[in-house]
Amino acid sequence: MSTTYGSFPAARPRRLRTTPAMRRMVAEHRLHPAELILPAFVREGIAEPVPVSSMPGVVQHTRDTLRKAAVEAVEAGLGGIMLFGVPEHKDATGSAGTDPEGILQVAIRDVKAEVGDDLVVMSDLCLDESTDHGHCGVLDAAGRVDNDATLERYAEMARVQADAGVHVVGPSGMMDGQVGVVRAALDAAGYQDVSVLAYTAKYSSAFYGPFREAVASSLQGDRKTYQQDPANARESLRELALDLAEGADMVMVKPALPYLDVLHRVAESVDVPVAAYQISGEYAMVEAAAANGWIDREAAILETLTGIKRAGANMILTYWATEVAQRLR
């Protein structure tokens, strides 16, 4: 159905922009604390938080400070927290990722003990933080990431993370078949209620650099053979169809700002919750520009998040989650 609007001078859209109250009343999209998810890093073997130099305000937490961050997240009304573990020792198979006493599993238990079900506790299900080569899976004899052998490791990770009490696992390695293997492993272990947040469209991006500092990545080379090519959008819909067929409860686009078109296409195509991850490089750009006095920091943060929401995200992972939620309340 088409709409006839009339013409100038009778029609004046600026009437709906005259005051802050008017703009607030007619706003088409609103951020809410419950839609925000805080990514948080916890590092094994440290006594004090370690600042991430490329991400001002972000730290590698100790177990104690992570618990405090989780409490702050609850108090701010956040929807969830996504945990990443940084182990002291890494090896070729990422054994810390499947060790029940590995730092990520310990952190899950810590946060669950602290906040219970008041916050959705989510965990990264990937090997890159715990492999000495920094890739998201195990390597074959030729040094390539072995998709199917990696899936076996992901199944083990799903079980130990569920054993630790996680609410949601986030398989993020972009291995073919990962959602189905993780769902089957959880169900076979009796964890039918643990949800799967599929990293459906995760691109091989230049904006991951600060994150690699945050997780002390050992990556050599790149991940172009398994993460999506930035030139491709239609391909993301194929990945989406596969993830949904394999049992994904929620889906994600990562990064957010360079891929708002992909986010919109995904959101328009599904009836499951859609997440977007505002990644480390997006965060670092705003913080660096604000530190130089080139942009208004608070306004830029809200504008970027509103843009992600407008594109169709129901949930946004952002390192500003707690700060923004406190401002929204």
Side-chain angles (χ1 to χ4, degrees):
M1 180 179 178
S2 61
T3 303
T4 301
Y5 288 105
S7 60
F8 178 84
R12 294 179 181 267
R14 285 183 56 185
R15 293 189 187 110
L16 300 183
R17 307 169 193 155
T18 52
T19 67
M22 177 66 79
R23 294 191 294 275
R24 184 174 63 247
M25 183 180 74
V26 301
E28 297 175 26
H29 300 278
R30 305 176 197 279
L31 294 170
H32 189 281
E35 299 168 333
L36 302 179
I37 297 165
L38 177 68
F41 308 104
V42 57
R43 178 172 167 182
E44 188 175 22
I46 58 173
E48 298 292 335
V50 177
V52 179
S53 65
S54 53
M55 300 175 69
V58 176
V59 300
Q60 295 172 327
H61 283 286
T62 68
R63 291 174 61 186
D64 285 341
T65 63
L66 177 65
R67 284 191 286 261
K68 292 175 183 175
V71 170
E72 289 177 358
V74 171
E75 292 172 346
L78 294 191
I81 187 168
M82 173 67 80
L83 302 178
F84 297 85
V86 184
E88 279 190 282
H89 304 291
K90 304 182 181 186
D91 57 32
T93 61
S95 58
T98 50
D99 180 354
E101 297 305 316
I103 184 59
L104 181 53
Q105 287 69 253
V106 169
I108 293 168
R109 290 196 293 270
D110 284 345
V111 172
K112 278 296 297 292
E114 192 71 37
V115 300
D117 294 334
D118 291 340
L119 187 68
V120 178
V121 180
M122 315 169 91
S123 55
D124 183 54
L125 199 161
C126 194
L127 290 170
D128 61 311
E129 293 106 71
S130 53
T131 53
D132 55 13
H133 47 73
H135 278 287
C136 297
V138 295
L139 305 183
D140 63 17
R144 300 167 300 194
V145 175
D146 185 325
N147 190 97
D148 295 6
T150 297
L151 294 181
E152 295 178 17
R153 301 286 294 125
Y154 286 3
E156 293 180 56
M157 292 186 76
R159 287 189 289 267
V160 296
Q161 291 179 7
D163 286 343
V166 78
H167 296 115
V168 178
V169 294
S172 62
M174 290 299 287
M175 298 296 119
D176 294 339
Q178 63 183 13
V179 171
V181 165
V182 166
R183 181 72 270 161
L186 291 169
D187 290 351
Y191 292 114
Q192 289 86 357
D193 289 340
V194 174
S195 299
V196 177
L197 169 59
Y199 282 59
T200 290
K202 182 179 179 181
Y203 283 86
S204 180
S205 172
F207 292 93
Y208 293 133
F211 177 90
R212 289 174 184 161
E213 178 192 351
V215 297
S217 174
S218 313
L219 181 66
Q220 301 295 316
D222 58 50
R223 299 183 175 129
K224 292 181 180 179
T225 61
Y226 47 101
Q227 293 179 348
Q228 268 193 248
D229 189 326
N232 294 352
R234 191 169 58 240
E235 181 185 33
S236 65
L237 299 183
R238 184 184 185 196
E239 294 278 7
L240 175 65
L242 289 166
D243 284 351
L244 292 175
E246 292 173 23
D249 299 290
M250 300 169 275
V251 297
M252 184 194 292
V253 174
K254 179 182 181 181
L257 288 180
Y259 300 96
L260 293 180
D261 61 320
V262 175
L263 173 61
H264 182 70
R265 291 175 73 167
V266 168
E268 290 288 297
S269 302
V270 300
D271 54 8
V272 299
V274 176
Y277 196 145
Q278 185 181 55
I279 67 169
S280 60
E282 299 173 58
Y283 176 96
M285 286 192 303
V286 171
E287 291 289 353
N292 278 282
W294 297 335
I295 60 173
D296 180 326
R297 178 182 179 274
E298 292 190 1
I301 291 170
L302 288 178
E303 186 173 342
T304 60
L305 292 171
T306 301
I308 296 166
K309 174 74 178 289
R310 190 180 64 246
N314 306 111
M315 305 171 291
I316 304 173
L317 287 81
T318 175
Y319 300 97
W320 290 303
T322 301
E323 174 190 341
V324 169
Q326 290 168 342
R327 287 162 53 189
L328 292 174
R329 297 192 78 181

